[in-house]
Amino acid sequence: MNTEWSLDVYYKGYDDPAFAADFELLKKYAGELETALETARKQTDEQGLVTIIEAKEAYANVLFKLAEYLELRGSVDTTDGKTMDYRGKLRKIDASTAKIQSAIDKYIAGVKDLEACIAAQPLLTEYAFLLRNTKENAKHLFSDEMEAMISKMNLSGGKAWSSLFDYLTSTVKVDYDGKQITLPAVRNLANDPDGAVRKRAYEAELASYAKIEGPIAYALNNIKSQVRMLAQERGYESALAMTLDQSHMKKETLDAMMGAMQEYLPVFHKYMRAKAQYLGYHNGLPWFEMLAPLGKSEKKYTLEETKQCLIDSFSVFSKDMADMMERAFDEEWIDFYPHEGKVGGAYCLEVSHAGQSRILTNFNGSFDAVDTLAHELGHAYHGTQTCTHRILNREYPMQVAETASTFNETHITCLAIAKATGEEKLALLDSFLMNTTQTICDIYSRFLFEDSVFNACEDRFLMPEDLKAIMLDAQKQAYGDGLDGNYMHPYMWACKGHYYSEQLSYYNFPYAFGAMLSMGLYSQYLKEGEAFLPKYNKFLHATSVMSVEDTAAVAGIDLTNRDFWRESLKSFADMIDEFITLQQNK
């Protein structure tokens, strides 16, 4: 089995003639956007919209293919100068279309009877959600010239600061046990069976951030200041308001979810104290023990065993899911192991032109690593349900982006827990609750941190010491007495790439959203069995063409009702009670 992904579905390499040809084709289609708008202005509104949509589709098909390829190449080798050069060229081409894209959006907004046009043309009917949102969001646009200038300046602004963060965190050398290793490698030791290893890794990780904290702080300050300024200038009350608007989600939904999370934080603190007691601590759980494995689940999975475990686990849910997972392994969709220059963590990227996905992970053979693959393959399955939409209709908001992935985590772990007994069951329950606690408590702390940074950066520059203090305060609020105050993680702002996107702000609460929504969906699956799958597929298919609330309604869920979120959290609370009973009997 090849341990690195194949990108031949895109190009054979940078010397592939098709790669250079697509760059030229992209420039051609970029220029034709303006021609399409000129033509549309001479046509009826109905035909003009068709002309514009067809031009945007042609441009997007080539843009996405090139952008995805370069993103994938860059994530496994952040030091590759060629990749950086090509990404820069691509961004310049795309930035050059900002002015005409703004003009096109304003043209769409200016169509007098948009609904009549949508009803009259099948192509426009498919794009009804996109067109309606374009009309609504046009009120937040600047002049065409200003939009073009902002897009170009972003290349050396927010986008550049984001790239700097990726470069620094992927290349920093961590001094550990007399040798130098990568940051992802040392973070992988957080769940090592040896407590001494976990503590040394934690200390080495924290020490490594001191080498790069200054430039990373500059990156964070400038990205957040840019986002905050643009949000205000576009007429939004805040960066959060802009995020919710762009994600097609109501503040009422966020408030209901966050309110339920706050109510249940003490339940997760109870789990952490129980785990601390099991490990011999009396002042809460030290950070370096957060991911400590309990029980006797020391099994290390080979890639073949991982593949079979995933196929067996998901065959009982969906044959299509299991078949897709087999393809992912057999057709080299996955890049498995960490190495210098490769970014940390894991992600899934949809291969938009081929109905496939590519998955990056930093696999270490643990059940948690298998669980991570199940998570990313959930994203890939989500992609199989949205790839049947037209090219401009495939992007879904970040809130629902984590639903299918977290559903997969829930499924594979619950199956494993149901089969296990004794020490193995304790280990699996702890692993699941450990991840859920990260999703609830840690995500809550990240939300508090990012919100505080957005508010503070208006008046002052936040030095590393300021950022560490804000992070520690957020962790105290989120973890309460479940966490040992003497061993926290003041640098969590320096290792999470989600903070460093100038395009996506508050990419934290979607994980909690996905965990709780997926638990609600999983509860439906347990009740309905096979009858649930068509509804689930319909739900996933709808995520890119409906608001968050309307998408959930497809599955019979009211996201603005706090009781829904409470019910999902109660399922986790029941598992915590089961864990504590098992732990006390050891």
Side-chain angles (χ1 to χ4, degrees):
M1 183 184 301
N2 198 332
T3 61
E4 297 179 352
W5 56 30
S6 169
L7 302 183
D8 288 353
V9 69
Y10 289 101
Y11 310 102
K12 303 300 183 183
Y14 289 144
D15 57 352
D16 186 338
F19 179 72
D22 275 354
F23 255 98
E24 293 305 310
L25 190 60
L26 186 68
K27 294 176 187 176
K28 174 177 177 289
Y29 287 147
E32 289 179 357
L33 289 172
E34 188 165 356
T35 303
L37 181 58
E38 292 173 358
T39 301
R41 285 172 171 155
K42 300 172 184 176
Q43 297 174 317
T44 64
D45 285 347
E46 178 186 320
Q47 189 55 50
L49 287 171
V50 171
T51 298
I52 283 172
I53 290 295
E54 289 175 343
K56 284 174 71 70
E57 283 190 327
Y59 177 73
N61 274 309
V62 183
L63 174 68
F64 292 174
K65 184 179 179 183
L66 286 166
E68 290 159 14
Y69 180 66
L70 293 172
E71 176 71 18
L72 294 167
R73 288 282 299 257
S75 63
V76 293
D77 187 359
T78 61
T79 65
D80 184 9
K82 273 191 175 182
T83 299
M84 287 187 272
D85 286 344
Y86 283 125
R87 289 174 84 171
K89 291 175 183 177
L90 185 70
R91 288 166 183 166
K92 286 180 182 178
I93 295 171
D94 194 39
S96 73
T97 70
K99 181 177 178 179
I100 188 61
Q101 296 278 16
S102 174
I104 286 173
D105 287 350
K106 290 174 182 174
Y107 170 87
I108 294 171
V111 171
K112 292 181 180 179
D113 197 344
L114 183 62
E115 293 303 319
C117 294
I118 289 172
Q121 281 283 349
L123 177 65
L124 303 183
T125 302
E126 288 193 65
Y127 280 119
F129 184 69
L130 175 69
L131 291 168
R132 289 167 184 148
N133 280 307
T134 299
K135 186 177 182 71
E136 174 63 23
N137 293 335
K139 63 187 179 186
H140 296 293
L141 291 174
F142 300 123
S143 68
D144 300 343
E145 291 76 13
M146 182 65 76
E147 290 292 345
M149 180 62 70
I150 289 170
S151 182
K152 290 177 182 177
M153 291 185 69
N154 184 54
L155 299 179
S156 55
K159 182 65 71 176
W161 287 115
S162 179
S163 297
L164 176 65
F165 168 82
D166 287 341
Y167 176 79
L168 290 171
T169 54
S170 64
T171 59
V172 64
K173 302 293 192 299
V174 182
D175 300 307
Y176 176 76
D177 276 5
K179 57 186 178 182
Q180 291 188 326
I181 61 177
T182 65
L183 189 56
V186 80
R187 284 178 59 78
N188 269 346
L189 296 175
N191 60 3
D192 191 274
D194 188 335
V197 170
R198 295 193 296 269
K199 186 174 182 182
R200 291 200 307 274
Y202 162 80
E203 292 168 345
E205 181 195 350
L206 293 189
S208 72
Y209 294 121
K211 302 176 183 180
I212 55 176
E213 64 177 7
I216 289 182
Y218 268 77
L220 186 60
N221 274 271
N222 284 290
I223 288 171
K224 296 310 180 192
S225 293
Q226 175 177 309
V227 172
R228 194 181 197 285
M229 178 270 293
L230 287 175
Q232 289 179 334
E233 292 298 322
R234 291 189 186 281
Y236 291 102
E237 181 182 344
S238 63
L240 178 59
M242 181 170 71
T243 294
L244 291 171
D245 186 60
Q246 292 173 345
S247 301
H248 318 302
M249 175 175 167
K250 297 177 182 177
K251 180 68 159 51
E252 187 181 359
T253 294
L254 179 64
D255 289 343
M257 183 189 78
M258 284 294 186
M261 285 171 64
Q262 285 177 306
E263 290 177 15
Y264 271 81
L265 286 177
V267 175
F268 291 93
H269 301 164
K270 181 173 68 171
Y271 155 72
M272 294 176 68
R273 291 195 303 273
K275 181 168 183 173
Q277 183 181 4
Y278 184 91
L279 293 169
Y281 299 98
H282 304 290
N283 296 317
L285 197 63
W287 192 279
F288 57 83
E289 298 288 36
M290 195 87 72
L291 305 185
L294 299 190
K296 292 183 179 178
S297 182
E298 299 174 0
K299 176 176 173 57
K300 289 292 184 179
Y301 289 78
T302 66
L303 294 186
E304 286 294 342
E305 289 171 333
T306 298
K307 173 185 174 182
Q308 198 59 49
C309 175
L310 290 167
I311 291 172
D312 290 346
S313 296
F314 286 90
S315 291
V316 300
F317 171 64
S318 164
K319 183 179 183 302
D320 288 343
M321 173 90 75
D323 289 347
M324 183 213 69
M325 289 179 168
E326 187 168 19
R327 286 186 63 203
F329 280 84
D330 293 347
E331 298 176 14
E332 300 174 356
W333 291 12
I334 309 170
D335 197 280
F336 288 97
Y337 295 114
H339 58 75
E340 186 173 346
K342 180 178 177 179
V343 298
Y347 73 78
C348 174
L349 188 147
E350 184 181 346
V351 184
S352 58
H353 71 286
Q356 302 178 14
S357 289
R358 289 297 179 270
I359 293 167
L360 178 142
T361 184
N362 284 274
F363 188 80
N364 65 3
S366 65
F367 181 79
D368 190 55
V370 177
D371 189 52
T372 296
L373 269 174
H375 176 106
E376 300 306 335
L377 287 162
H379 285 303
Y381 185 73
H382 195 165
T384 67
Q385 301 306 306
T386 56
C387 72
T388 55
H389 287 301
R390 301 186 73 94
I391 186 68
L392 302 179
N393 265 350
R394 294 177 191 166
E395 184 176 357
Y396 40 81
M398 57 186 179
Q399 284 79 354
V400 290
E402 296 302 331
T403 305
S405 54
T406 313
F407 184 98
N408 274 18
E409 285 190 71
T410 302
H411 178 67
I412 193 171
T413 305
C414 287
L415 282 184
I417 290 171
K419 296 176 183 176
T421 58
E423 292 282 348
E424 185 183 7
K425 187 165 192 171
L426 178 68
L428 291 169
L429 262 173
D430 175 63
S431 178
F432 183 76
L433 292 173
M434 175 175 63
N435 291 332
T436 304
T437 299
Q438 292 289 295
T439 302
I440 302 300
C441 294
D442 195 49
I443 290 302
Y444 187 64
S445 73
R446 292 192 219 174
F447 178 84
L448 294 176
F449 171 81
E450 187 163 2
D451 209 44
S452 296
V453 169
F454 267 123
N455 291 328
C457 72
E458 180 182 24
D459 302 318
R460 60 194 176 101
F461 187 91
L462 300 171
M463 299 299 290
E465 292 304 314
D466 298 318
L467 294 169
K468 286 188 281 187
I470 295 172
M471 178 56 76
L472 289 175
D473 181 65
Q475 288 175 358
K476 289 173 184 175
Q477 292 185 60
Y479 287 101
D481 61 3
L483 185 64
D484 186 339
N486 296 311
Y487 296 99
M488 303 174 75
H489 199 311
Y491 281 109
M492 281 299 283
W493 56 272
C495 64
K496 293 297 179 183
H498 300 88
Y499 295 127
Y500 297 86
S501 169
E502 85 289 2
Q503 298 294 329
L504 289 175
S505 300
Y506 292 95
Y507 202 170
N508 34 63
F509 70 80
Y511 285 93
F513 183 104
M516 289 186 276
L517 178 55
S518 67
M519 179 56 84
L521 289 167
Y522 194 69
S523 296
Q524 289 188 10
Y525 162 64
L526 293 178
K527 294 174 185 175
E528 300 172 15
E530 290 183 9
F532 171 77
L533 188 58
K535 180 169 67 175
Y536 182 61
N537 289 341
K538 186 178 179 182
F539 163 86
L540 294 178
H541 184 74
T543 53
S544 59
V545 291
M546 289 185 180
S547 71
V548 170
E549 289 79 16
D550 288 345
T551 299
V554 169
I557 294 169
D558 179 4
L559 296 178
T560 64
N561 187 339
R562 189 180 293 195
D563 286 341
F564 165 74
W565 304 105
R566 288 179 177 132
E567 283 299 311
S568 292
L569 287 163
K570 186 180 182 303
S571 297
F572 297 127
D574 292 341
M575 298 179 79
I576 288 172
D577 288 340
E578 184 179 5
F579 167 82
I580 291 174
T581 299
L582 277 173
Q583 175 257 333
Q584 289 175 342
N585 291 334
K586 297 303 172 186

